[in-house]
Amino acid sequence: MKYILLVLSVFCSYLGYSQNCNHRLRGSVIDFHANTPLEDATIKLKNTDKITISDKNGIFNFEDLCEGTYTIEVSHIGCKTITKTVKVKGKTSVTITLEHHLEELDEVNVSGKSKTKVTSVEQSISKEVIEVYTDKSLGDALNTISGVSSLNTGNSIVKPMIHGLHSSRLLIINNNVRQFDQEWGDEHAPSIDINSGGQIEVIKGANTLIYGSDAIGGLILIKPENYALRDSLFGSTSLSLNSNGLGGIINSELTKTYKSGFYSRLQANYKRFGDFNAADYDLTNSDIESINASARFGYKSFEKGFDAYYSYVNNTIGILSTAHLGNVNNLVRAINTSQPIFVGDFSYDINNPKQLITHHLGKVEAYKRFQGIGKLSLQYDFQINRRREFDRRRQNFRDDPAADFRLFTTSLQPNLRIDAFDDLVVNTGLLVRYQQNDAAGFEVTNISIPLIPDYDKYDAGIYFTGNYSLNLNTEISAGFRYDFSRIEAEKEYKLADWEENNYDELFPQFSSGMVEDFEILTFPEFDFHNISSSLGITRYFENDIQFIFNYGLASRMPNVAELFSDGLHHSAARIETGNLTLNKEVANKFILSLERNNQNFGFTVSPYYKYINDFIQLIPSGEVSESIRGSFVKWNYDQVNAHIFGIDIDVNKKLSQHFDYSGSLSVLRGDNLTEDLPLIHMPSANFSNSISYKNENLNQLSLSLTQYTELRQNRFPDYNFTTFDPILLEDVYVDISTPTDAFTLFHFNSSVRFKISDRSHLNVSFNVENVFNTSYRNYLNRFRYFADDLGRNVNLKLKFNY
């Protein structure tokens, strides 16, 4: 009897338990952006055998569940698998949202062209290519892209150009912050450490409205690395040694990431070179010393995150001694001789003339996603740029800068990305910016009128851009932007110059009426309204072929150098004079591109045309100014109507399992339509060919030989002139226009990788630039009048990844 009661008790307990397992879990799976149901999502109840699929309405059901807590695992093609804990009791409902655009949360390694849909002509430089140029400048790395060249001042100051345009006609975006470091000067290279970025993109078309309205030339986008969400600690230390300049760079970086979404990164380097050398002689006082550092900290998840970034750049750059001459006779002799007038012994000393530049950049950005709408982000950033330029001066002024600028820039930018629709993405945002230039350093330099005056600048802008997929093969984009800018300056003019330029009648409201020592104090104020727009179409065809059309209307106000320059721009070795009557530039840009993105055989053919109304140019006046600071040619700003057109061609071909070929060709023509002359300082036609060998089984061995040829620029304006030489007591002919001859250079690159442990390896690179030690002068080098460009350089790079 006792055993029968025990069995009945267990049976009743089982019945009671089974009777409680009639609970139900009903749920829906939807897209976070569009609030639309996701069909065929897989839903599992972990630690059970229950699994189901969502229907066309995104609905799923689990029946006959016991009361308790369950862990649901939900997956869908194109989405990140998520888990969710649910307490089930009675009829329980749950809504699960999945995200289809999680690529921005994953680590992305890009080489070559982007595979995402775009409606502008874009080219990228990967992290691997950046490492090749670790001891060089941003401009040097960008020169590897067709249609991109550089305006050089010697070998250390390299200013990027896209389709013949540079300075404030290019937007440089550094970690989502528009770079402001007195970019108006021809010899003011961007204060950017190339090692702080993870990828560089060049946009040649008009899809730049999110960043600004004045990208007449194009956009250079420096992106940080994107980290995967996992617990990890990794870093690298690299050393680069060079024979030319007997120097190099040491760079180190360390990154920590967490599965929770937090990440941090520290990076720093030190670069030092002595006098560089041309093929046949040293380039005296061409040294450079640089200290750079950056720090990044942030958190990212699908719904929210933030990113804080700070970078510091400190450059000391020597200016070629022979570029600063004492009289007209020396100037003419320097231009007409094959070697510099002065060649000293090799040295690491950076003497006057030189530049001392420091740049601070800070940014804080935060974002929040809203279901059914999109992503709202807010960014605050600031920059502090200080530039000191030292001339050859008398002993008692030797340590005082001849120019001392302090530029402060700060901005606030909210942006809303609306991606709740399947085929449409809209970006809209605002910009508020303030900028202040302080030329107070001139008060102790014994120079009464600074080259660039004190000024305050106020900017405000609004933009709308949209990308719409008509179907799987066609995408269009359009955008509109309006910007308002106001400049308030305080500047002294020589009274004779003020009246000679007729400013006393054109701008009487600027005059304070205060005249002292034949100088008049003025307060110029200007307002500018800029409207820009863009339209792009991309069509995809079979065999990886796509066609891109892009049109852009861009407006650019005159920069402060073009308006107010007044005196010696010592690092450019010339006298510059601004023009208060300048209007804004308005450009219409057209670019086409036929592309085939294929590793076996790919190509890009991109013709373009730009018509620029009121194009601002800086041209020689035909005069030489002599003072105790030396003898310098005078240059003035004026405006003309102009057009620039050309074509960029890139080809890549896989020759065999291990051998690849790549080549490029760029042809450009620029015309001053107002005066029926060629535009000054336009790049000449150039082409390159490269053969590379790669073998993954031989420690990832890589070998390549590259040929680069630049043809002579036969289209140039003739601004040569005669001037009186007080030493020879006669007129002399000053040839500052005739271009240099064509040249061809060969470069060799090699690298190999050695495994140190499961988590570390060593990369060794051996490279030779200008293999045959060719003597040449580049037409776009500002110091081509005085010396050759660089000779052969043998480079050894060691990079330890851990």
Side-chain angles (χ1 to χ4, degrees):
M1 185 65 178
K2 177 171 63 175
Y3 292 105
I4 294 174
L5 291 175
L6 179 60
V7 170
L8 290 174
S9 175
V10 172
F11 180 73
C12 291
S13 298
Y14 174 77
L15 288 177
Y17 179 80
S18 63
Q19 288 172 355
N20 289 331
C21 292
N22 58 358
H23 301 275
R24 186 184 73 178
L25 174 62
R26 186 175 189 271
S28 61
V29 184
I30 63 173
D31 179 86
F32 182 92
H33 291 285
N35 268 339
T36 55
L38 291 178
E39 185 179 2
D40 293 332
T42 301
I43 303 96
K44 298 179 182 178
L45 291 185
K46 300 190 71 172
N47 300 321
T48 75
D49 59 354
K50 294 184 179 293
I51 184 171
T52 188
I53 303 294
S54 62
D55 63 19
K56 65 179 181 179
N57 296 314
I59 303 299
F60 66 89
N61 281 286
F62 288 108
E63 303 285 349
D64 300 326
L65 297 180
C66 299
E67 180 181 347
T69 301
Y70 293 85
T71 299
I72 306 174
E73 181 181 89
V74 186
S75 60
H76 189 266
I77 297 175
C79 301
K80 182 178 180 180
T81 299
I82 69 168
T83 58
K84 187 179 182 70
T85 301
V86 179
K87 186 175 183 180
V88 177
K89 182 177 182 181
K91 295 181 179 180
T92 304
S93 298
V94 64
T95 300
I96 298 172
T97 57
L98 294 181
E99 161 62 24
H100 269 165
H101 306 285
L102 285 169
E103 66 273 7
E104 64 185 74
L105 296 180
D106 296 326
E107 185 175 18
V108 180
N109 294 317
V110 180
S111 60
K113 281 191 176 297
S114 171
K115 300 299 182 183
T116 58
K117 290 185 177 181
V118 295
T119 54
S120 61
V121 180
E122 301 180 10
Q123 289 177 279
S124 300
I125 298 177
S126 66
K127 182 67 173 179
E128 290 74 16
V129 177
I130 291 175
E131 291 174 356
V132 175
Y133 292 87
T134 182
D135 47 10
K136 299 186 182 299
S137 70
L138 173 66
D140 290 318
L142 291 171
N143 276 335
T144 61
I145 295 179
S146 62
V148 181
S149 51
S150 61
L151 188 65
N152 290 27
T153 302
N155 52 278
S156 299
I157 303 174
V158 184
K159 196 172 188 69
M161 303 177 72
I162 300 178
H163 293 160
L165 300 176
H166 58 86
S167 302
S168 55
R169 296 185 182 97
L170 297 187
L171 273 62
I172 300 179
I173 309 300
N174 184 7
N175 206 317
N176 211 39
V177 179
R178 179 169 176 178
Q179 187 85 6
F180 285 101
D181 49 9
Q182 304 171 40
E183 70 279 5
W184 50 75
D186 286 351
E187 83 306 340
H188 294 187
S191 299
I192 294 175
D193 173 24
I194 193 173
N195 299 283
S196 64
Q199 180 189 352
I200 302 173
E201 289 186 0
V202 173
I203 300 178
K204 301 175 183 178
N207 280 14
T208 61
L209 296 183
I210 292 178
Y211 303 102
S213 61
D214 47 352
I216 292 177
L219 172 73
I220 298 169
L221 190 61
I222 303 168
K223 293 183 175 182
E225 291 188 76
N226 208 354
Y227 307 119
L229 299 181
R230 59 173 178 258
D231 293 324
S232 180
L233 176 65
F234 57 93
S236 66
T237 298
S238 61
L239 175 67
S240 178
L241 302 173
N242 296 266
S243 64
N244 199 329
L246 296 181
I249 185 173
I250 181 169
N251 181 78
S252 189
E253 54 187 68
L254 185 66
T255 302
K256 174 63 177 172
T257 61
Y258 299 86
K259 188 176 181 180
S260 62
F262 286 97
Y263 59 87
S264 60
R265 178 180 184 264
L266 293 175
Q267 174 263 336
N269 61 58
Y270 175 73
K271 179 166 64 175
R272 187 72 169 96
F273 284 90
D275 290 333
F276 291 89
N277 59 270
D280 301 316
Y281 48 80
D282 286 336
L283 302 170
T284 304
N285 204 51
S286 59
D287 320 40
I288 182 172
E289 182 176 21
S290 181
I291 300 173
N292 306 284
S294 66
R296 188 180 177 206
F297 172 71
Y299 168 80
K300 63 178 180 180
S301 69
F302 168 55
E303 292 193 14
K304 58 186 176 181
F306 72 90
D307 184 78
Y309 175 78
Y310 169 78
S311 68
Y312 171 75
V313 174
N314 186 314
N315 291 328
T316 302
I317 304 173
I319 304 298
L320 186 69
S321 294
T322 194
H324 282 235
L325 305 171
N327 54 60
V328 175
N329 184 56
N330 287 342
L331 175 63
V332 174
R333 189 157 59 95
I335 292 176
N336 293 333
T337 56
S338 59
Q339 289 196 356
I341 292 178
F342 175 73
V343 177
D345 296 330
F346 175 86
S347 172
Y348 286 100
D349 296 332
I350 304 179
N351 300 309
N352 295 347
K354 63 184 179 183
Q355 296 181 2
L356 271 64
I357 305 162
T358 58
H359 190 87
H360 303 264
L361 183 151
K363 180 202 80 169
V364 177
E365 180 183 10
Y367 68 88
K368 177 73 172 70
R369 296 182 189 270
F370 295 92
Q371 187 170 337
I373 300 176
K375 176 180 175 182
L376 177 65
S377 60
L378 179 65
Q379 176 177 303
Y380 168 76
D381 57 74
F382 73 90
Q383 297 172 74
I384 302 173
N385 183 276
R386 185 177 184 188
R387 167 179 289 272
R388 288 174 289 173
E389 301 181 351
F390 293 81
D391 264 347
R392 286 178 174 175
R393 309 180 72 189
R394 297 192 302 269
Q395 181 67 28
N396 53 330
F397 293 114
R398 184 183 59 184
D399 297 327
D400 295 330
D404 190 349
F405 305 105
R406 300 176 183 89
L407 185 69
F408 171 76
T409 308
T410 184
S411 63
L412 183 68
Q413 302 176 76
N415 178 81
L416 176 62
R417 175 186 169 92
I418 303 172
D419 51 12
F421 310 101
D422 287 339
D423 300 319
L424 176 65
V425 176
V426 175
N427 270 289
T428 180
L430 303 171
L431 165 71
V432 179
R433 178 181 293 128
Y434 170 71
Q435 186 175 87
Q436 181 189 66
N437 183 63
D438 179 10
F442 280 89
E443 295 176 0
V444 295
T445 62
N446 198 37
I447 298 174
S448 61
I449 300 178
L451 176 67
I452 304 295
D454 292 348
Y455 71 85
D456 295 286
K457 186 169 181 282
Y458 307 87
D459 296 307
I462 184 172
Y463 60 86
F464 301 89
T465 66
N467 285 66
Y468 180 67
S469 296
L470 291 175
N471 50 53
L472 290 176
N473 298 318
T474 307
E475 182 170 295
I476 63 173
S477 70
F480 172 85
R481 181 173 180 123
Y482 166 78
D483 286 276
F484 168 79
S485 297
R486 179 177 179 82
I487 294 180
E488 299 175 356
E490 178 181 343
K491 176 172 174 55
E492 291 183 336
Y493 281 91
K494 293 179 181 179
L495 184 59
D497 293 339
W498 181 258
E499 294 175 349
E500 181 181 347
N501 291 313
N502 207 28
Y503 291 160
D504 55 336
E505 295 185 9
L506 294 173
F507 306 107
Q509 70 275 21
F510 295 165
S511 174
S512 69
M514 298 174 57
V515 178
E516 183 177 351
D517 295 330
F518 303 102
E519 294 177 357
I520 183 172
L521 178 63
T522 67
F523 296 93
E525 295 181 359
F526 293 97
D527 293 337
F528 293 94
H529 303 268
N530 291 338
I531 293 178
S532 301
S533 61
S534 67
L535 175 66
I537 301 174
T538 298
R539 175 71 179 177
Y540 296 88
F541 300 93
E542 295 180 353
N543 298 319
D544 303 319
I545 293 177
Q546 66 184 35
F547 172 78
I548 298 174
F549 165 79
N550 193 257
Y551 163 76
L553 171 68
S555 302
R556 185 186 76 89
M557 60 170 285
N559 64 41
V560 293
E562 294 162 342
L563 290 169
F564 304 122
S565 287
D566 192 3
L568 174 63
H569 207 160
H570 98 99
S571 49
R574 65 191 180 202
I575 303 293
E576 297 179 5
T577 304
N579 187 343
L580 294 182
T581 65
L582 297 177
N583 300 314
K584 67 180 180 182
E585 292 180 345
V586 179
N588 288 275
K589 309 188 296 180
F590 301 86
I591 185 167
L592 303 175
S593 184
L594 182 65
E595 304 177 6
R596 184 172 192 257
N597 297 311
N598 188 287
Q599 291 185 346
N600 291 323
F601 173 63
F603 60 84
T604 300
V605 180
S606 297
Y608 57 89
Y609 176 82
K610 302 180 183 184
Y611 178 86
I612 308 174
N613 191 59
D614 286 329
F615 179 79
I616 301 172
Q617 59 176 358
L618 179 62
I619 58 174
S621 66
E623 301 179 50
V624 173
S625 173
E626 292 198 53
S627 67
I628 59 173
R629 304 173 74 188
S631 178
F632 304 96
V633 177
K634 292 183 178 180
W635 294 62
N636 298 328
Y637 287 98
D638 70 0
Q639 280 187 303
V640 297
N641 291 334
H643 69 188
I644 298 173
F645 59 93
I647 188 170
D648 300 329
I649 299 175
D650 294 276
V651 178
N652 65 275
K653 172 64 178 173
K654 191 167 190 62
L655 302 176
S656 66
Q657 180 182 357
H658 298 297
F659 285 93
D660 295 280
Y661 164 81
S662 63
S664 67
L665 168 68
S666 293
V667 180
L668 176 151
R669 172 169 172 162
D671 292 302
N672 173 349
L673 300 176
T674 301
E675 300 172 332
D676 194 23
L677 295 172
L679 283 177
I680 193 172
H681 295 150
M682 289 290 105
S684 58
N686 60 83
F687 61 91
S688 67
N689 296 280
S690 179
I691 296 289
S692 62
Y693 171 86
K694 295 181 180 179
N695 193 326
E696 297 289 333
N697 298 323
L698 293 178
N699 295 96
Q700 298 187 16
L701 174 66
S702 175
L703 305 171
S704 68
L705 181 65
T706 301
Q707 160 267 321
Y708 174 80
T709 297
E710 191 163 303
L711 303 180
R712 186 179 188 273
Q713 177 58 275
N714 293 318
R715 302 188 72 259
F716 62 95
D718 185 357
Y719 292 118
N720 298 327
F721 60 94
T722 58
T723 187
F724 182 74
D725 187 333
I727 296 179
L728 299 178
L729 298 179
E730 61 182 26
D731 288 336
V732 292
Y733 182 68
V734 184
D735 185 352
I736 61 173
S737 299
T738 303
T740 54
D741 293 331
F743 62 87
T744 295
L745 305 177
F746 288 88
H747 310 299
F748 172 77
N749 295 85
S750 65
S751 66
V752 66
R753 178 174 177 173
F754 300 99
K755 183 178 179 180
I756 306 300
S757 68
D758 291 338
R759 298 176 60 88
S760 62
H761 59 270
L762 176 68
N763 284 351
V764 180
S765 301
F766 178 78
N767 312 300
V768 183
E769 302 164 66
N770 193 358
V771 172
F772 298 108
N773 201 29
T774 302
S775 297
Y776 71 100
R777 298 194 182 194
N778 193 319
Y779 174 60
L780 292 179
N781 193 327
R782 311 293 298 172
F783 286 166
R784 65 183 173 88
Y785 308 115
F786 313 111
D788 290 345
D789 276 88
L790 295 183
R792 182 189 298 115
N793 177 49
V794 179
N795 168 252
L796 175 66
K797 287 187 176 71
L798 305 174
K799 184 181 181 183
F800 179 52
N801 295 278
Y802 42 84

